[in-house]
Amino acid sequence: MIKPKIFTPHDRSVILLNNKITCSRKGWVDVLLTDLLKNGIYDDARVITGHKGLVREVQTVNIMDCPDIIRFLRPNELLLTNGFFMKQQPEMFIHLIRDMQRLHCSGLAIKTKRFELPIPDEILWEADQNEFPIIEISDVRLSLGEILQRSTSVILNNKSDELQYALSIHKKFSEMIMRGKGISSIIDSLSKLFSSPVILLNYKWQTISASNQNTSVAELTAAAVNTLQDLSDISSPTSLCFINTSVRERCCMLVYPVKTYRHEGYLLSFHSPDQWTGLFGLTLEQASNVIGMELTKSQAVKERSRRHKNEFFSDLIEGYITSEQEALNRGKRCGLIKGRACVVLTMRNDEVHHMHQRFPNYEGSSSPKGDNITEQEEQYEHIKRLFGGLDHSFVMFTKHDTYCLLLSIPESGWDEAKITEQLSGMLKELHHETGLSLSIGIGKPATNVLGVRHSYTEAVNALQFGYWLKRKQFVQSYQAKDIGYLFHMLPHNELKQFYDATLNGLLHIADEHEKKELLRTLNAFYDTQCQLVETSKQLFVHRNTVVYRLEKCEKLLGVKLKDPAESLRIRIAIAIEPLLLQ
């Protein structure tokens, strides 16, 4: 079982492992107190308590010359003092140690021999318990001012080295990109540099690029993703330590967010605690910056290509392109080929459509995640990925809030029933995966490039027809405007009145089963051109049964069923019935 422990980049944290307390420092290229004490400045210095706290970071050094010095101290600061005021006010010593501990200061370096300052056992014990270092510097030959100056110089030199390293790493990765090696080469280079796996995830936690992938790393990545998803904010670098309780092993991971004008994903590096150096974080920081710039360039290229594609199809659909040769020349990059038949599919978000019906000025909204990725961009990628499973090659473009697919028709021909069934399954899958409700309109096949315009118009009309029927998640093929279309142009109450007036005698039959059978017999009778034998075959009943039912219908309706005018009224009423049930 893998359990994660989360750290911020500059924390000094403690992990309980095998009933032992182990320190885990997570800084980048920082000067540690132990490193500073190894410098010649502190020759003859001696740590008298708080040895475990020597892994604290030292960012600055200060000198105390007043009792309220705590007001001027900062975290990660080493305090130098000769102990004069402590000699005068011994009770202030313990308060100073406690305040510095709360402030996360690096430690206290004191010249006790200057004023013969004793350090009580109580203070030594509490400092040791809190891992707060107290260092005796009485035997250091330098003055406090010289110690301050030289210590500051060491810290600044370290920062300078850090900057030079960052510049060299950034240059190396930038040159790799400029030579066209791509993001995967950066990931591989990082892996070789660290001798450990490196993974790049997108903002949906899917792997973009990875090195040294194996079952163990995959398990760690899954644990990391589950943990990071539960965090409220991971917009800054984060460090985690995983404890595998089954094998009693630890693995540390650095997480760096990758950003362009929006949040793109995360750069992850795994390593054992013994491998850790401060340069890991600095290297990942530069790598994430270069990766972010490369993604920005790729996005710009993709968006420019998409914009040109949308502009071309918009001109083609709106009739601004009148020559087939011009259409072929401009559409070559979109895969248009002379003589290849194609068909247009149009798709809309059902919710957006119904919002437009209620509020004509509705423009949609951005993603609720706050990552600046619009809903339309997300939906575009979902649709493109899902419809990649179609049996037909396609080009995708958008027109306003409508997604369009231009499907190529193979030489074997256009099987509309098969494609409709496949599209219906994909819409259900899309809704199950993302909650996105889409509907599709299918135009008629176009035999030439200019015919795309008509196929698009037909697909839009088919889509609108499906919405007139108040349907959702549907696939609607284009059909010529037949009598059913005319019915939809009439008010619902008018249709209902005509239906009730025409079939009034049958509608008042108390027995629902009998009423259903009589209506079914009427429908079959007219479908078979009033042929009794064919009607009986279709209903699987005896001819005499059909005659009996038809005679009863004539009696109830008070008409002759073969009268042309009456048969037309009854046929229209039967055709209207499905519309009244919607």
Side-chain angles (χ1 to χ4, degrees), residues 170 173-174 177 182-184 186-187 190 200-201 208 256-267 283-301 303:
H170 191 279
F173 290 148
S174 298
I177 292 297
I183 292 175
S184 59
I186 294 181
I187 302 301
L190 284 171
L200 178 63
L201 305 177
I208 299 176
Y256 247 103
V258 178
K259 299 179 181 179
T260 56
Y261 65 91
R262 64 190 186 189
H263 180 208
E264 291 294 338
Y266 307 90
L267 187 60
T283 304
L284 281 182
E285 180 180 16
Q286 300 308 313
S288 66
N289 290 338
V290 174
I291 290 172
M293 289 189 290
E294 175 64 9
L295 290 175
T296 300
K297 184 188 75 174
S298 299
Q299 288 164 1
V301 172
E303 288 171 4

Side-chain angles (χ1 to χ4, degrees), residues 142-204:
L142 302 174
S143 66
L144 293 180
E146 291 173 321
I147 294 174
L148 171 65
Q149 181 182 10
R150 297 190 184 188
S151 298
T152 302
S153 179
V154 169
I155 295 171
L156 292 177
N157 287 338
N158 181 75
K159 294 297 181 183
S160 177
D161 293 340
E162 176 183 335
L163 178 59
Q164 290 298 323
Y165 178 81
L167 290 173
S168 65
I169 286 293
H170 191 279
K171 180 180 179 181
K172 176 183 177 181
F173 290 148
S174 298
E175 288 176 347
M176 293 171 67
I177 292 297
M178 287 188 288
R179 289 198 297 268
K181 292 188 175 182
I183 292 175
S184 59
S185 63
I186 294 181
I187 302 301
D188 291 337
S189 180
L190 284 171
S191 180
K192 292 176 183 178
L193 185 63
F194 295 161
S195 297
S196 60
V198 178
I199 299 173
L200 178 63
L201 305 177
N202 64 15
Y203 72 99
K204 291 188 175 181

Side-chain angles (χ1 to χ4, degrees), residues 31 88 118 127 155 161 186 191 196 297 314 319 395 444 468 520 549-550 557:
V31 175
Q88 301 297 321
I155 295 171
D161 293 340
I186 294 181
S191 180
S196 60
K297 184 188 75 174
S314 179
V395 178
K444 291 294 184 182
W468 275 332
R520 193 163 71 95
R549 290 179 181 177
L550 292 176
L557 297 175

Side-chain angles (χ1 to χ4, degrees), residues 1-4 15-17 241-245 249-251:
M1 180 180 179
I2 296 179
K3 296 181 179 179
I15 307 169
L16 181 61
L17 179 65
C241 183
F242 294 93
I243 303 174
N244 193 329
T245 55
E249 291 181 354
R250 290 185 299 167
C251 180

Side-chain angles (χ1 to χ4, degrees), residues 63 114 186 247 251 307 320 331 381 422-423 507 568 571:
I63 295 179
R114 175 68 175 83
I186 294 181
V247 296
C251 180
R307 185 171 63 252
Y320 294 115
E381 295 301 327
Q422 194 174 6
L423 290 172
L507 298 178
L568 177 60
R571 283 173 181 263

Side-chain angles (χ1 to χ4, degrees), residues 50-253:
H51 291 77
K52 292 183 179 179
L54 294 177
V55 293
R56 296 187 182 214
E57 176 191 350
V58 182
Q59 293 182 349
T60 54
V61 183
N62 202 343
I63 295 179
M64 181 186 72
D65 56 3
C66 60
D68 60 346
I69 186 62
I70 192 64
R71 294 167 47 198
F72 306 100
L73 293 179
R74 293 182 296 176
N76 302 316
E77 191 164 61
L78 175 64
L79 180 60
L80 307 177
T81 180
N82 56 23
F84 177 73
F85 102 89
M86 299 175 194
K87 178 74 172 179
Q88 301 297 321
Q89 304 178 48
E91 71 281 359
M92 294 296 294
F93 201 163
I94 187 66
H95 295 299
L96 175 65
I97 297 298
R98 291 171 179 172
D99 289 340
M100 290 181 69
Q101 172 64 18
R102 279 193 293 270
L103 193 58
H104 300 291
C105 291
S106 306
L108 177 66
I110 185 170
K111 288 195 173 187
T112 60
K113 295 180 181 179
R114 175 68 175 83
F115 296 104
E116 298 183 356
L117 173 67
I119 301 180
D121 292 340
E122 175 192 1
I123 293 176
L124 294 175
W125 181 86
E126 183 162 338
D128 192 57
Q129 289 299 306
N130 291 320
E131 299 178 10
F132 181 80
I134 298 179
I135 304 144
E136 171 62 76
I137 55 173
S138 295
D139 296 332
V140 175
R141 298 180 181 180
L142 302 174
S143 66
L144 293 180
E146 291 173 321
I147 294 174
L148 171 65
Q149 181 182 10
R150 297 190 184 188
S151 298
T152 302
S153 179
V154 169
I155 295 171
L156 292 177
N157 287 338
N158 181 75
K159 294 297 181 183
S160 177
D161 293 340
E162 176 183 335
L163 178 59
Q164 290 298 323
Y165 178 81
L167 290 173
S168 65
I169 286 293
H170 191 279
K171 180 180 179 181
K172 176 183 177 181
F173 290 148
S174 298
E175 288 176 347
M176 293 171 67
I177 292 297
M178 287 188 288
R179 289 198 297 268
K181 292 188 175 182
I183 292 175
S184 59
S185 63
I186 294 181
I187 302 301
D188 291 337
S189 180
L190 284 171
S191 180
K192 292 176 183 178
L193 185 63
F194 295 161
S195 297
S196 60
V198 178
I199 299 173
L200 178 63
L201 305 177
N202 64 15
Y203 72 99
K204 291 188 175 181
W205 311 103
Q206 299 165 335
T207 300
I208 299 176
S209 182
S211 64
N212 297 335
Q213 268 285 40
N214 54 50
T215 304
S216 175
V217 175
E219 186 180 2
L220 285 168
T221 304
V225 167
N226 290 334
T227 302
L228 293 172
Q229 286 177 328
D230 293 335
L231 298 181
S232 58
D233 181 21
I234 43 177
S235 58
S236 58
T238 304
S239 182
L240 297 88
C241 183
F242 294 93
I243 303 174
N244 193 329
T245 55
S246 59
V247 296
R248 298 192 175 186
E249 291 181 354
R250 290 185 299 167
C251 180
C252 298
M253 182 185 73

Side-chain angles (χ1 to χ4, degrees), residues 348-412:
R348 290 195 77 184
N349 185 332
D350 294 333
E351 294 180 3
V352 172
H353 171 81
H354 292 300
M355 287 298 292
H356 273 298
Q357 296 297 105
R358 295 177 59 191
F359 309 103
N361 295 325
Y362 176 75
E363 296 181 355
S365 61
S366 59
S367 172
K369 296 185 179 72
D371 51 13
N372 298 324
I373 301 176
T374 64
E375 285 184 358
Q376 190 176 37
E377 287 175 326
E378 285 195 26
Q379 292 171 10
Y380 186 96
E381 295 301 327
H382 283 311
I383 295 168
K384 188 175 181 180
R385 174 186 56 80
L386 185 64
F387 284 80
L390 284 171
D391 296 333
H392 302 261
S393 59
F394 66 88
V395 178
M396 186 171 177
F397 61 97
T398 58
K399 187 165 177 60
H400 304 304
D401 57 357
T402 301
Y403 307 100
C404 307
L405 263 64
L406 182 65
L407 295 185
S408 295
I409 298 178
E411 295 181 359
S412 58

